[in-house]
Structure formats: C-alpha cells, structure tokens
Amino acid sequence: MAFNHQKYQPFHPIQKTDRQWPNKQITQAPKWCAVDLRDGNQALMEPMNVDQKVALFQLLVKCGFKEIEVGFPAASQPDFDFVRKIIDENMIPHDVSIQALTQAREPLIEKTFDALNGAKKAVVHVYNSTSPVQRDQVFGLDKAGIKAIAVAGATMVKKISHKYPETQWNFEYSPESFSATEPEFALDVCNAVLDVWQPNPSQRAIINLPATVECTTPNVFADQVEFIHERIRYREWIDISVHTHNDRGCAVAAAELAVMAGADRVEGTLLGNGERTGNMDIVIMAMNLYTQGINPELYLADMDEIIRTVKECTHIPIHPRHPWAGELVFTAFSGSHQDAINKCLQQQEITAPWQVAYLPIDPKDLGRSYQEIIRINSQSGKGGAAFILQNEYGIQMPRWLQLAFSPVVQKVTEHHQGALSPETIHELFLSSFSSDAPWALEHYNWDDQKGLTATVSSQSSPNEQPYELNEKSDGPLHAFVSAMSKKTGFDIEIQDYEEHAVQHASQHESHQTGSKAQAATYINLKIGDVNAYGTAMAADTLGAALQACLSAINYAATLKQST
Ligand code: KIV
Ligand code: ZN
C-alpha cells in the first residue's frame, strides 16, 4: 500500500519542563530580515534576473526592511551581478544592511566578500548542516567533523573581513536543519562559532535557527529556541534569529512562538515564497502584529503593489484566500455575515477602535475598498444588496424595500454563475422599482395656495395629450395620488414612504435626471390588492417623491395590462 503512515516515525521532542514562553506575549515587532532574493529566489522554477531582483529589492526597501539577504553570490552569477549593481549604483539606503549567504568553504567565502565589497553595512551569512540525517547520510561526518566545518567557516569569514575595513561587517551563522538537530549539539556548534567571532557591542553576531524542514508542532520549535536562548554564550551581543519553513503549514505560528521564546529576529519572505511550501510569510506575521495594535515596523499599506511586484518577479500567483492579502479575504458572501458587517460598519466611528464583526481589520488600511467586502451570490441575503447599493449608489433602502428586493436578487443569483456585479444589482433595483411607462412625469409644481400642478404623459400612447393634474390636498404626494387615482381608476393608498438627501460618496449619477441627484425617495403603495414599490432619485425631493409614486403606479398598471 503506497499510502502507509507506518513508513514514518514520530519526532521526539526535547524534554523541557521549565518553559517560559507560554506565558509571554509579543509586544513589539522583531527585527525582520527579508530572504526573498536568496531563499525565495533559490526556490523558483525560473530564478529572477537582475532586473527582477532590482524591482523586488526596491519593493523590500519601500516596505521598510532594514536587513535584506540579497543572494548567494558565490553560487550564482546573476546574484553576484545584482549585488555588484546595487552597490556600484548606490541603490542601498544608508540604514539598510545587505546580507549574503555562503557555505563554509574558503573560495566561496572569498567570492562572497568580492560581491559585497564597497557596501556600507553587510552581513556575511555562513551555514552548514547539523542534523543526524545530514551528518550521517549527506556528509558522512560525525559531530566533531560538522563542528569543525562551522568553526573553519567562522574563522575564514572573520579573517577575510579584515581585508575590507571600509565596510561595517556583521556575521551570521545558521546550523542548517536546526529543528531536526539535537539541541545540545546545535548549542555546542553555535557557541564554538561565537567563540571565534567574539561578538561585542560594536560587532554583534546573529545566530539563526532554521526550521529548514518543519517537522513538529510549533510549540516544540519554541522549546528548542528557548533552550538555545537560555544557554547560549554572549547572549547580550547576539541576535537570535529564526528562519522557519512551512512544510506543516505552521511557519508563521512557529516564528511567533519562537519570538515568545526569546528570538529577536525573524527571517522570511513577502507572501511566503520559498523552498517547497515556502518560507515564513512576513506579510502574515507583520499583519498579525498590526491587528494587535503593535507597530509591525513595516509599511504594507499598498498590498496590491506588493502582490503585483512579487508575482511579476516570482511568477507565483497569490491564493485568493491568502491571509490578509488574498482577493477574497475581506469578502462576505453569506447573508448573515453581510448583515452583521453592514450593521457594524454603520456604527463604526472613524476614531473609535475597530469593532466590525467578520472583518478583523479595516480593509481600507491595505488599500482595499468596501466595494470588495460584500459580493452577492445565491448565499447572500438582503443586507448584502442593500450594502452595495448604499456604498456604490448612495441608495439607503428602507427595511421594507430590502425585504421586497431580496427575493428579486435571490432569484437572479440562483440562475447566475458567480457573484453579481454592483452594476447588475443596481440595474435590477431600477428595473424592479423605477419605471416611466406607461406614465412619465413631465412637469410638476407645488404651491401651498394653488396646490399641485403637474403633467404626465402616456408612453404607451404617444399621440395622447399629456394629462394635466391640478389637485389640492394636504400635501403634494397626497394630491398626486388622488389625481392619479382619478386618472387610472385605481384605488391607491400610501403604506410607507421614506426620503433622504443623497450623499455623493457614490460616484454614480442619478439615472433619471442625468445630473447629480439631491434627493432619493422610496414608496410603498397599496393599489387595489397589489403591493407596489417605487423609488426615484432626483434633483429635488418633490420630483423624487412624485417619480417614485408614479413608478409604483406604473408597476400596478403593467401588472393589470398583463393579466
Ligand atoms: O532553510 C534553511 O535552513 C536555510 C539556511 C541556509 C538558513 O535557508
Ligand atoms: Zn531556508
């Protein structure tokens, strides 16, 4: 049987009973290091060319990264050329430190320094693998042999750096496959490296602990990190960094728990590109902090630009449900969610803390519009269409009209593949509640003394003389109803009526007037035994009210003609 779990063995976690990290909270952003241009690039079907690397580098700078791993220049000519370009063309801001990865071998280290020559601040990142599988099966070396490689690499790095005194050098060491290495051995190797480097206040070092392959739940990784944090020498003068991969889908959680366990620094990529299931996604972790009211120390407001540039450079599309960034992550299709969002947004005050059901953050913070929040399909309810009409067209449907409109929308969605666009919903709204046939309003005037004078023309009989209304009543609407009642022979009763001024948050013009509408009205008439609804937007309240009334009458007239 191919699908056989007995092929695998459980991971045996370290026995740590004094763990402190479960009681810790993250209260500030870690130091970030973006490894998109190295680890991310090494994982691509088609590695980035120099221009793509420049574009991604510029994006990383724009996002506010102060530490950027720019490549593996000793292993790749485009990486070498790119590093030379950003140094020679002064593209590195003075507060940004670039970093290059190298294996612990002399020619590679030499070439890495050649690439970084002339940088103001740079980190040389040296690594070798330490886990039992790597020791036994890949390198055929015992623990002493593996430690010797690390110490030799550290020594070479330190020695060669003296040839380039104009650069402010820092060193980083990664015991690759740390999460699968016995913690005591990893600690021993890291301490040996630090003994060579002798970190101090003017030359700090970085000990980077990778979950090269994620092999446990994140709590086990946190124990491993805390183990090192509590025991490593020169703790004051080193940054403990973590570098998690996402094999089990927990890279972000692992990095978060690692920060609780003492890590100062986190390596990862924008949107999680990287080997296999990817590197830790810095966008997710930073946004997780942001939503806790913690400054992520990164600027991610233009999320669409981040997505666009990463995609252009990596050719990897983003999943529509990618946390914080995907196209659908702020969208509600379900009717009850839409209702709740709609209600909360109505109550949300601009300066008050964000409290909107189903929306953990304000999508506007990431450059997303409310238009994207609610999309209407067959799962949606009345609140959704109401929300869209209000946001897009300034139409504030009263509840009784929402109830009348809901089955109309529902019927259309059930025969329509996918979500309805705001334009379609608006057209549906107009075709349901707004009509100028058979009767169209031509002129109208209200005078407290003389009452209502108005003209309606018949669209079905263009040769018929327009109908002149002259009616006195308590108000223009009652006068109009009474006059139209006489004309049509309908028994008309006003059930509900609402009006509001049109706020031009909506970019759309009134379709009836062609000019900016000032007033919107909604009416429910009982016409015989027919419940008829009408709505209108017009330059003035009187025009909107009469037009809405006429729409409802038109509805009843059309119904009568067809029966
Ligand atoms: O995943 C990993 O272990 C690495 C190291 C080289 C840091 O990318
Ligand atoms: Zn990695």
Side-chain angles (χ1 to χ4, degrees):
M1 197 171 62
F3 188 71
N4 179 6
H5 65 275
Q6 288 169 337
K7 210 154 65 184
Y8 305 101
Q9 291 174 338
F11 186 89
H12 294 294
I14 59 167
Q15 296 306 313
K16 196 170 194 305
T17 50
D18 59 346
R19 56 181 68 85
Q20 303 296 311
W21 61 263
N23 299 324
K24 299 278 173 58
Q25 267 195 324
I26 306 178
T27 52
Q28 64 180 50
K31 295 176 183 172
W32 302 111
C33 174
V35 298
D36 306 64
L37 296 164
R38 195 278 299 171
D39 214 351
N41 189 43
Q42 284 183 285
L44 294 177
M45 202 87 90
E46 198 184 322
M48 286 177 251
N49 59 32
V50 172
D51 290 345
Q52 286 168 322
K53 290 195 95 170
V54 168
L56 195 47
F57 178 75
Q58 284 169 339
L59 176 72
L60 294 168
V61 168
K62 201 165 163 190
C63 289
F65 284 94
K66 303 298 173 208
E67 296 179 56
I68 302 177
E69 190 162 79
V70 286
F72 195 161
S76 137
Q77 193 58 40
D79 276 18
F80 189 94
D81 295 342
F82 162 71
V83 179
R84 288 300 339 142
K85 182 179 172 79
I86 56 172
I87 296 171
D88 293 339
E89 297 182 19
N90 286 322
M91 294 166 79
I92 308 166
H94 68 279
D95 59 346
V96 170
S97 178
I98 58 167
Q99 168 171 325
L101 182 76
T102 175
Q103 281 166 346
R105 301 210 322 259
E106 188 152 10
L108 302 184
I109 295 175
E110 292 273 12
K111 189 153 188 205
T112 307
F113 275 96
D114 276 353
L116 293 171
N117 184 12
K120 188 165 170 278
K121 295 201 279 186
V123 175
V124 179
H125 178 186
V126 62
Y127 77 99
N128 68 318
S129 209
T130 52
S131 69
V133 175
Q134 295 268 3
R135 290 192 313 254
D136 301 343
Q137 304 196 31
V138 183
F139 293 94
L141 286 173
D142 61 7
K143 286 182 177 169
I146 293 290
K147 184 170 157 185
I149 294 177
V151 170
T155 309
M156 284 180 272
V157 161
K158 186 169 178 174
K159 195 178 110 207
I160 298 169
S161 72
H162 292 137
K163 290 199 223 160
Y164 303 91
E166 60 293 336
T167 298
Q168 185 189 319
W169 295 109
N170 290 93
F171 308 132
E172 171 170 342
Y173 173 69
S174 291
E176 202 221 41
S177 60
F178 162 78
S179 59
T181 302
E182 307 86 331
E184 297 78 4
F185 179 56
L187 177 68
D188 187 31
V189 177
C190 291
N191 275 334
V193 166
L194 292 174
D195 282 344
V196 175
W197 286 342
Q198 298 282 316
N200 58 69
S202 54
Q203 195 180 32
R204 296 176 66 84
I206 300 163
I207 290 294
N208 184 46
L209 305 176
T212 304
V213 176
E214 182 173 60
C215 45
T216 66
T217 49
N219 59 310
V220 175
F221 184 66
D223 278 355
Q224 294 168 325
V225 172
E226 192 173 80
F227 177 93
I228 301 287
H229 160 66
E230 286 167 342
R231 290 164 181 78
I232 196 146
R233 293 204 281 268
Y234 313 96
R235 181 67 189 91
E236 223 182 329
W237 312 123
I238 62 167
D239 285 329
I240 292 186
S241 173
V242 290
H243 174 114
T244 55
H245 280 268
N246 200 33
D247 298 81
R248 296 167 54 102
C250 304
V252 170
E256 288 176 331
L257 298 195
V259 169
M260 289 158 65
D264 313 289
R265 180 181 186 270
V266 171
E267 293 191 350
T269 61
L270 291 176
L271 305 171
N273 175 41
E275 296 285 5
R276 304 178 307 284
T277 51
N279 281 79
M280 204 294 303
D281 181 341
I282 293 186
V283 169
I284 300 181
M285 185 165 170
M287 286 308 301
N288 290 355
L289 294 173
Y290 181 84
T291 60
Q292 297 302 303
I294 297 170
N295 182 350
E297 310 286 352
L298 288 177
Y299 181 73
L300 305 174
D302 197 348
M303 192 59 83
D304 288 337
E305 190 200 344
I306 294 173
I307 294 168
R308 199 170 40 249
T309 307
V310 170
K311 192 175 160 204
E312 271 164 21
C313 297
T314 62
H315 299 294
I316 295 184
I318 173 175
H319 195 284
R321 302 216 182 266
H322 191 108
W324 306 119
E327 188 201 336
L328 293 181
V329 297
F330 301 117
T331 301
F333 289 102
S334 126
S336 64
H337 289 206
Q338 293 177 345
D339 277 339
I341 292 172
N342 199 358
K343 283 184 185 140
C344 294
L345 284 177
Q346 304 296 331
Q347 292 167 60
Q348 179 68 41
E349 283 173 16
I350 291 172
T351 51
W354 183 253
Q355 269 203 316
V356 176
Y358 302 110
L359 280 184
I361 61 161
D362 186 344
K364 286 189 174 162
D365 294 3
L366 299 180
R368 301 281 163 83
S369 73
Y370 286 153
Q371 183 187 342
E372 297 162 74
I373 299 175
I374 285 180
R375 299 205 198 164
I376 306 299
N377 66 11
S378 58
Q379 302 295 310
S380 314
K382 58 185 182 326
F387 177 90
I388 287 182
L389 289 174
Q390 171 156 1
N391 266 275
E392 293 289 299
Y393 297 91
I395 294 168
Q396 297 168 25
M397 269 199 282
R399 209 181 137 66
W400 44 265
L401 193 60
Q402 291 182 26
L403 289 170
F405 189 41
S406 176
V408 179
V409 176
Q410 184 66 19
K411 203 164 159 203
V412 175
T413 56
E414 280 165 10
H415 297 95
H416 184 277
Q417 291 264 307
L420 300 186
S421 68
E423 292 74 22
T424 305
I425 294 165
H426 188 230
E427 277 161 24
L428 210 53
F429 176 76
L430 293 179
S431 63
S432 304
F433 303 128
S434 171
S435 154
D436 52 10
W439 304 105
L441 184 65
E442 299 282 338
H443 303 289
Y444 52 86
N445 187 49
W446 171 256
D447 182 300
D448 283 343
Q449 307 304 318
K450 294 186 190 141
L452 178 75
T453 49
T455 317
V456 293
S457 58
S458 166
Q459 303 296 297
S460 46
S461 323
N463 297 331
E464 199 179 300
Q465 277 298 308
Y467 177 52
E468 302 286 342
L469 308 181
N470 290 296
E471 193 79 25
K472 284 193 177 167
S473 188
D474 303 352
L477 194 56
H478 284 100
F480 189 69
V481 163
S482 152
M484 285 306 292
S485 203
K486 287 177 194 155
K487 170 70 183 161
T488 56
F490 292 163
D491 181 13
I492 306 174
E493 203 183 299
I494 301 172
Q495 305 266 82
D496 273 304
Y497 173 81
E498 279 193 35
E499 65 184 35
H500 62 80
V502 175
Q503 282 153 14
H504 283 288
S506 73
Q507 320 82 357
H508 303 265
E509 310 266 290
S510 157
H511 97 119
Q512 282 119 341
T513 60
S515 63
K516 283 236 187 255
Q518 302 299 323
T521 56
Y522 313 90
I523 199 162
N524 173 205
L525 299 180
K526 185 124 198 311
I527 304 180
D529 52 7
V530 173
N531 226 346
Y533 299 88
T535 177
M537 276 195 184
D540 62 281
T541 312
L542 178 58
L546 301 189
Q547 183 57 60
C549 188
L550 200 54
S551 285
I553 294 169
N554 281 338
Y555 173 78
T558 311
L559 202 68
K560 197 155 175 258
Q561 273 164 19
S562 64
T563 51

